[in-house]
């Protein structure tokens, strides 16, 4: 299982949290944890087609700004 944590700006409410979670699940991410307080999105996945860039793109498509992926 691959695990990445992204710093995401602009997530303020529970709907934001759901939108990001759903977008990542749709690209095959198995576990998502969003912290509005920490501005972080944690993604765990085993699909090798998923990269830092595909994660970033899926979140940015929802209108949020991805600052860092590690
Ligand atoms: Mo409501 Mo969360 O516009 O951005 S979905 S605050």
């Amino acid at each position: 299982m691959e695990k990445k944590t992204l710093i995401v700006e602009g997530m303020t409410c529970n709907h934001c949290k759901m939108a990001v979670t759903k977008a990542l699940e749709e690209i095959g991410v198995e576990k998502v944890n969003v912290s509005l307080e920490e501005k972080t999105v944690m993604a765990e996945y085993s699909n090798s087609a998923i990269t830092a860039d595909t994660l970033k793109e899926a979140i940015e498509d929802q209108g949020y700004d991805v600052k860092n992926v590690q």
Side-chain angles (χ1 to χ4, degrees):
M1 200 88 111
E2 199 66 41
K3 186 172 179 174
K4 291 207 185 300
T5 301
L6 302 91
I7 307 297
V8 181
E9 302 259 302
M11 303 185 299
T12 53
C13 73
N14 227 39
H15 175 263
C16 302
K17 205 166 164 170
M18 289 312 300
V20 168
T21 301
K22 191 162 177 279
L24 293 179
E25 285 174 352
E26 276 170 2
I27 64 162
V29 176
E30 287 145 86
K31 276 194 210 167
V32 181
N33 191 65
V34 177
S35 168
L36 298 178
E37 297 75 18
E38 310 280 331
K39 298 182 181 177
T40 55
V41 175
M42 186 278 296
E44 279 187 69
Y45 50 92
S46 48
N47 184 340
S48 58
I50 300 171
T51 65
D53 280 346
T54 57
L55 294 172
K56 189 170 185 277
E57 198 181 312
I59 295 173
E60 288 180 341
D61 281 350
Q62 297 301 311
Y64 306 105
D65 209 1
V66 178
K67 293 297 181 194
N68 190 36
V69 185
Q70 48 184 220

